[in-house]
Amino acid sequence: LFAQSRKVAITVDDLPYAATADEADAGFVADLANRRLIESLRTHHAAVTGFVVQKYAEALGTSAGTNLLMRWTAAGFDLGNHTYSHPDLKDLSEEQFEQEVVRDEGVIGTLMSEGGRKLTYFRFPFNSTGDTRDKHDRANAFLKQRGYDLAACTIDTSDFVFNRTYVRMLDDNDGPAAQRLREAYLEHTNAEIDYYAALNRKVLGYQPPEVMLLHDNRLNGDVIDDILRLFEAKGYEFVSLHEAQSDPAYRQPDTYITAFGPMWGYRWAAERNIKVDGRLKPEPPEWISEYAAR
Ligand SMILES: [Zn+2]
C-alpha cells in the first residue's frame, strides 16, 4: 500500500531532439526517437511535459522541427520553455537571458494555446539556476513576471553520457556493444531512482512526488518502455508536473545559489542544513566514457 502512493512526473528535455555533435542523419533519427517516445509514454498513461529548445527545432528544418513538436501536443503532452539556444545562465547577461526566454516562446506558445493550454513551465538549461544571488534573483523575477513556474527535477540518470557512446556504437554497427550499453543504462537508471528516492526521504522526512529528467535522444527512444516499466515495478504512479509540484516541497521558492545544476534533493538539503553524502550516488560505468573517447 505504501508503494502505491509513490508518484513521478516524467519530463523530457531538449525537444524536439538532442542530437550529439557528430550524429549523422539527425532528421531521420529524430523522427524515429520521437515516435517511440510519444507512443510509449502514451501507452503507459504518463502525463509528460517536454522542454523545447527552439534552435534545435530549427536545426532539423523549421517545419520538420515544428511538426515533431506538434506531435507532442497532439498526444496531449505539455510543452515548456527551455530557452532558445540552451546557454548556461552563468554565461549570460540579464538582457541576454531575457532574450533567450522570449525567443523560445513563439512556436511553443502557439502550439500550447492551439491546444487550449497555457505555457506555464520554464526549466533552466543544465539546471543552472544562478551562480550569484543577484543573477539567481533577477532571472527568477523575470520568469515570474512573464507568468512562468520553475520546473524542478529530482531524478536524473546521466542519459546524455550514455547516449553519446550509444550513438557512436550504432555508427560503428557494433550491435553487441549497443545491447550491453542499453542494459547498463537501465541498471544505472534503476539505481538512480532508488538513490534519489532515499535522498529525498532523508531530507524531507517523506518521499515527495518525484520529477524524472530525461532527454529527447536516441537511447531513450530505444529504451523508454523499459524505463517506464522500472517505475511501474517500484509502485510509482505517473502524474503531471503540475500535480507533482503541488507538493509543499516544491512550493517554497528555490533559493540555493550554485554554479552547478544539482537535483532538487541536494538543494532541499542545503536549504535545510542537512548533510548528504554525494559520493553514494551511482555513476555510469567507466567503460561507457572510455568507449566514446577511443
Ligand atoms: Zn537541456
Side-chain angles (χ1 to χ4, degrees), residues 13-14 53 56 82 86 124-126 215:
D13 279 15
D14 299 3
V53 177
Y56 296 169
H82 196 36
H86 210 279
F124 284 101
F126 312 104
H215 289 87

Side-chain angles (χ1 to χ4, degrees), residues 143-164:
L143 292 170
K144 198 170 175 187
Q145 175 218 317
R146 270 192 103 72
Y148 286 105
D149 287 340
L150 189 60
C153 44
T154 63
I155 307 173
D156 75 340
T157 180
S158 301
D159 57 355
F160 55 96
V161 175
F162 285 90
N163 183 64
R164 198 162 45 215

